[in-house]
Each structure stands twice: as C-alpha cells, then as structure tokens.
C-alpha cells in the first residue's frame, strides 16, 4: 500500500496529509458500464500525482475494474464488507475475498445504516476486520436533517466516531480515512457549506485526538461527502481539516470526476 502522507521535505514538522478522492458509485453501473466509465477516465486520472484516487464500483465489477487499474496509480475500493472471514452469511462478502482485490472499503455509509440497519457496533466490527486484513477502511459518519435542526450534530457525530473506533489500536489509526457525510446533503444537490463541513471535520479530528493523541489525529485524513461537484470541491478542499471527498453522483461522470481530482490537486498544493 502507498503511504498516505507526502513528506514536506523540511525534515522536522513531518508531513502533509495526502488528499484522497474516492468515487462511491453506489448501486450504479453494470460490469460493462463500469469498464466503459473507467476506460473514459483512467488515463487522465493516472496522470495526476499528489492526490490519492480510489474507485469504488459495485462488488461484481471489482475484479474486471482491477484489470484496468493494474499498473496505474488509481486504487480500488469496495462499498461494504461483512466482518466474518467465511461461513453461513448468505449474500455477504468477506475481508478475505476483498483483500485480494481492494485497497479500501467504505464502511458505515449512511445508506447502509439507514436501509440495512447497520449500527456503530457493527461498523466497529467491520473496521476492525478490514484493518486485520490490510484493507483500509473509509468510515462514514454524519447526521440527518432532524439532528442538525435539533443541534445534535456534534453529539451524534462524536458518538459515531468514538463507537466506530472503539478498541482500535493507535498504530492503525493513520490508515483509517474518516468521511463526514451529512445525510441531508447526500444525493440532494444541497451540499454543506465549506464552513459547516469544516466545523464538523475539526470536531472529528478533535475526537480522534481525545481518543488517541493530537499527533495521530493530525495524520488521519478526513473527507467531506454530500453533493460534491467540480464546482464546490475547491470550497471544501480549502478547509484546514478537509483532506478529500467521498463523491457519489459526480463520480459517475468521467469529466466531472476528473475535474474534481484536478481541482483537489490545485487547492491542496497551495495548502
Ligand atoms: P453524493 O453521494 O455525492 O451523490 O451526494 C455521496 C455519498 O453518499 O458518498
């Protein structure tokens, strides 16, 4: 696996967090369509250095997409995973199956939590299983509209981070990516503002610092997700605690996704 840090080269204060853009295709694209989409963007994506790029197609397309990503710098991620290695879990996919193909796995996405009843406890088991098998988790957290309106965002997101990371060794923390995705912003076209997203991402980093150390919290990469587009990515990437994006709808269009990565690089090189 590549290291998630770029060395500043100044020899002392350490590193700069390597920005990471992940495309969460959700339940979209057949295998053929997946290959077409990757084909449309892979050359441009591969030419970009300084941003880690991860494509997360549906399970059935992972293997074919992997073929196209071979010898490129673009990584592959799954959208979910069960925490057991094998057994009578009809319909589930295990870390042993994914570790052969994937660098990353998205865990605890709000759609999994809402439609499939995933709890913080289950997400925690999955994060631990991924780490055990050298798959990097992208653990998603975020509040719904009612929680935001009731000013419960901080308490809710903090609990998701604390419970999702419970019992995880400090040595594993820098390999985890946390994604802040306010549910009201996902797929709605109503993205958070940069300031709103920064406020919660700073809180997430603070929570990691309280659980572990400030030093390790500074190494964790935090993405914003929720109606990210080529038009608004700069606003998010300009925030000090936002290190990338988890992109849904806009990752299904080659030009949009390439633009998002290009703009991420532009902003992050000035950070
Ligand atoms: P969206 O989805 O970009 O379509 O809002 C983001 C996500 O759910 O990861």
């Amino acid at each position: 696996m590549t290291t998630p840090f770029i060395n500043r080269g100044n020899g002392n204060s350490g590193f700069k967090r390597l920005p990471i853009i992940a495309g969460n295709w959700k339940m979209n694209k057949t295998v053929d369509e997946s290959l077409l989409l990757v084909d449309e963007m892979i050359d441009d994506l591969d030419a970009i250095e300084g941003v880690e790029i991860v494509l997360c197609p549906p399970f059935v397309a992972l293997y074919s997409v992997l073929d196209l990503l071979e010898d490129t710098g673009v990584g592959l991620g799954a959208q979910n995973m069960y925490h057991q290695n094998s057994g009578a879990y009809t319909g589930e996919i295990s870390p042993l199956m994914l570790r052969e193909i994937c660098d990353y796995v998205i865990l605890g996405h709000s759609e999994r939590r809402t439609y499939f009843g995933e709890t913080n406890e289950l997400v925690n088991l999955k994060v631990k299983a991924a780490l055990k098998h050298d798959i990097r988790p992208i653990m998603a957290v975020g509040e719904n509209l009612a929680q935001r309106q009731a000013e419960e965002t901080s308490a809710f997101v903090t609990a998701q981070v604390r419970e999702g990371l419970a019992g995880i060794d400090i040595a594993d923390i820098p390999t985890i990516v946390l994604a802040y995705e306010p549910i009201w912003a996902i797929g709605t076209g109503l993205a958070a503002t940069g300031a709103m997203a920064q406020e919660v991402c700073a809180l997430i980093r603070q929570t990691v610092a309280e659980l572990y150390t400030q030093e390790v919290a500074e190494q964790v990469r935090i993405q914003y997700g929720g109606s990210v587009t080529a038009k608004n990515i700069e606003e998010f990437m300009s925030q000090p605690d936002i290190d990338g994006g988890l992109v849904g709808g806009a990752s299904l269009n080659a030009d949009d996704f390439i633009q998002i990565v290009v703009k991420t690089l532009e902003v992050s090189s000035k950070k």
Side-chain angles (χ1 to χ4, degrees):
M1 285 189 205
T2 53
T3 158
F5 312 117
I6 304 173
N7 228 312
R8 275 197 197 283
N10 60 8
N12 43 40
S13 74
F15 55 84
K16 174 178 173 181
R17 294 185 293 270
L18 180 65
I20 176 166
I21 298 291
N24 174 13
W25 296 7
K26 309 193 180 187
M27 198 176 72
N28 294 294
K29 304 288 175 192
T30 63
V31 177
D32 282 349
E33 289 166 350
S34 298
L35 294 176
L36 277 175
L37 178 57
V38 175
D39 196 50
E40 275 182 81
M41 56 188 180
I42 190 60
D43 289 346
D44 287 320
L45 294 180
D46 190 34
I48 298 169
E49 277 178 31
V51 179
E52 189 171 3
I53 306 165
V54 184
L55 303 182
C56 306
F59 281 128
V60 292
L62 283 173
Y63 213 79
S64 315
V65 166
L66 179 68
D67 234 18
L68 296 190
L69 300 187
E70 222 162 355
D71 303 320
T72 75
V74 178
L76 189 62
Q79 300 172 19
N80 181 32
M81 182 194 82
Y82 199 53
H83 60 279
Q84 301 284 0
N85 284 350
S86 62
Y89 304 100
T90 301
E92 293 296 316
I93 301 286
S94 92
L96 292 182
M97 299 165 186
L98 290 185
R99 66 176 291 175
E100 294 178 343
I101 355 180
C102 291
D103 312 290
Y104 283 89
V105 58
I106 301 170
L107 296 172
H109 189 281
S110 64
E111 285 147 20
R112 302 281 334 155
R113 296 176 188 261
T114 305
Y115 303 134
F116 304 99
E118 294 199 9
T119 59
N120 288 337
E121 197 181 0
L122 180 64
V123 173
N124 176 247
L125 289 172
K126 293 183 174 197
V127 170
K128 285 175 175 161
L131 290 168
K132 189 170 166 200
H133 295 285
D134 287 328
I135 307 166
R136 289 187 175 161
I138 299 176
M139 186 179 94
V141 297
E143 82 289 356
N144 64 28
L145 188 57
Q147 288 162 332
R148 175 154 286 266
Q149 286 169 342
E151 298 184 5
E152 291 165 5
T153 300
S154 301
F156 185 75
V157 171
T158 302
Q160 284 184 315
V161 173
R162 284 183 173 272
E163 291 171 32
L165 297 181
I168 290 170
D169 196 278
I170 189 167
D172 285 327
I173 295 299
T175 63
I176 300 177
V177 175
L178 297 173
Y180 169 54
E181 297 207 310
I183 295 172
W184 46 269
I186 295 177
T188 58
L190 294 170
T193 63
M196 281 159 105
Q198 163 60 25
E199 191 183 356
V200 183
C201 290
L203 174 77
I204 291 172
R205 196 176 304 286
Q206 176 61 31
T207 306
V208 177
E210 284 163 16
L211 288 172
Y212 297 93
T213 62
Q214 187 66 39
E215 193 188 0
V216 89
E218 292 295 332
Q219 295 174 43
V220 172
R221 291 177 297 171
I222 304 177
Q223 296 174 315
Y224 166 78
S227 298
V228 168
T229 63
K231 287 203 169 72
N232 64 22
I233 186 67
E234 286 165 297
E235 185 181 345
F236 296 114
M237 283 308 301
S238 321
Q239 308 298 326
D241 285 295
I242 300 181
D243 309 304
L246 183 51
V247 185
S251 71
L252 297 170
N253 178 287
D255 290 340
D256 290 347
F257 192 65
I258 292 164
Q259 275 311 303
I260 287 171
V261 178
V262 167
K263 290 187 173 173
T264 295
L265 180 63
E266 279 170 18
V267 178
S268 75
S269 54
K270 291 183 213 138
K271 257 184 171 176

